[in-house]
Amino acid sequence: MRKSVIISLILLVLVICSPFYLLVCSAEANGDANTPTFELSLEPMHPQAWLGWRPEYKTNVSFIASIKGKTATGKNITKFTNVKFTFDLGTPSKWKGVCMNFDGDTDVKESYDLFFRKEDNASGSGYTYTVKRPIAVPGEGNNVSGQPVEIGLGMTETEGGNSSVTVTVRVNDYAAVGILSASATFNYEDPVSGSSSSEGDASDAISIPLDNNGNDIADSWEPGAWVKGRHTLLTDNQG
């Protein structure tokens, strides 16, 4: 009697679990069990200097966006095609003047304190930068050649097979704060099958300036965080 009960229980378990095993087998047959994972890393160009960096009026700061991927079995995905990077600054601060609303500022107009300029992100062979979400900023009318400066709160980098690109942000206030977000869409070559028709995506974001406690103040202003001169290592001074 006990033996028949045990056999019945075993058969019951097999009946209940069989759909699950069929699903797993089907997923493996279709390649779903080997779905890769991707990561986009958005980092300052000078990571150590970034710890003490503070915004500075009419300067630039640059970041590197890199994508990487792995198959479910741990194989690195290294070949990417049709890569499109999209960068966005959201709604950065718009303090009056060049240092919040300090009375001594000569620029008393309110404008965005962080933005992209086309001339700081020049296109080249195999890739093209395009400014999105255009805005107007006092003092940024024409470049050195007398041509209008393309300015915006968004930017894309396309037509490349680049897994890593650099993006430069214009800083227009000593108290500028904002969030730089980056996303990427791409095709990739499967290191196992060699197919390059599959699509992937990834994203990341970073605060400008470094603001791990989220109080909209550069962490380098916190007590004990400042090292004299450290911020000058990161700021790309361009007129």
Side-chain angles (χ1 to χ4, degrees):
M1 183 68 178
R2 182 178 300 175
K3 184 177 180 180
S4 63
V5 171
I6 294 175
I7 293 174
S8 297
L9 290 174
I10 292 174
L11 291 173
L12 179 62
V13 169
L14 289 174
V15 170
I16 294 174
C17 295
S18 58
F20 170 76
Y21 288 113
L22 287 173
L23 180 62
V24 171
C25 291
S26 176
E28 290 179 347
N30 291 313
D32 296 337
N34 196 37
T35 301
T37 57
F38 296 98
E39 176 184 346
L40 190 153
S41 175
L42 184 59
E43 301 288 343
M45 181 174 285
H46 305 286
Q48 290 302 315
W50 180 246
L51 300 177
W53 182 83
R54 299 172 183 176
E56 189 172 336
Y57 179 56
K58 286 195 177 299
T59 58
N60 293 340
V61 60
S62 299
F63 301 85
I64 300 174
S66 303
I67 51 176
K68 58 183 179 180
K70 279 190 176 183
T71 65
T73 57
K75 291 184 178 295
N76 290 325
I77 297 172
T78 59
K79 295 183 179 180
F80 299 89
T81 58
N82 300 321
V83 183
K84 178 180 179 180
F85 284 93
T86 301
F87 300 95
D88 198 272
L89 286 166
T91 54
S93 58
K94 293 179 66 175
W95 306 118
K96 291 183 179 179
V98 300
C99 190
M100 298 183 75
N101 56 357
F102 174 60
D103 290 340
D105 288 342
T106 55
D107 180 5
V108 296
K109 296 181 179 180
E110 181 181 281
S111 60
Y112 285 105
D113 302 327
L114 297 170
F115 48 87
F116 299 105
R117 298 192 307 180
K118 177 69 176 290
E119 65 181 46
D120 300 328
N121 297 273
S123 301
S125 177
Y127 58 93
T128 302
Y129 280 101
T130 304
V131 173
K132 303 292 185 181
R133 299 177 60 198
I135 59 173
V137 177
E140 296 284 357
N142 297 314
N143 58 22
V144 292
S145 301
Q147 300 299 316
V149 176
E150 293 185 50
I151 303 171
L153 295 178
M155 174 166 285
T156 59
E157 188 276 345
T158 58
E159 299 181 9
N162 305 305
S163 61
S164 179
V165 298
T166 300
V167 63
T168 298
V169 176
R170 183 68 162 175
V171 181
N172 209 44
D173 196 292
Y174 288 96
V177 292
I179 300 293
L180 171 64
S181 62
S183 61
T185 58
F186 44 82
N187 294 115
Y188 62 92
E189 182 178 300
D190 189 301
V192 178
S193 67
S195 171
S196 58
S197 60
S198 298
E199 298 180 349
D201 62 86
S203 61
D204 195 14
I206 189 171
S207 62
I208 304 176
L210 180 66
D211 182 25
N212 287 332
N213 59 10
N215 64 354
D216 289 337
I217 300 173
D219 288 350
S220 62
W221 286 108
E222 304 294 334
W226 173 243
V227 176
K228 184 177 181 180
R230 182 186 293 171
H231 71 296
T232 60
L233 298 176
L234 179 61
T235 299
D236 304 323
N237 292 296
Q238 297 181 11

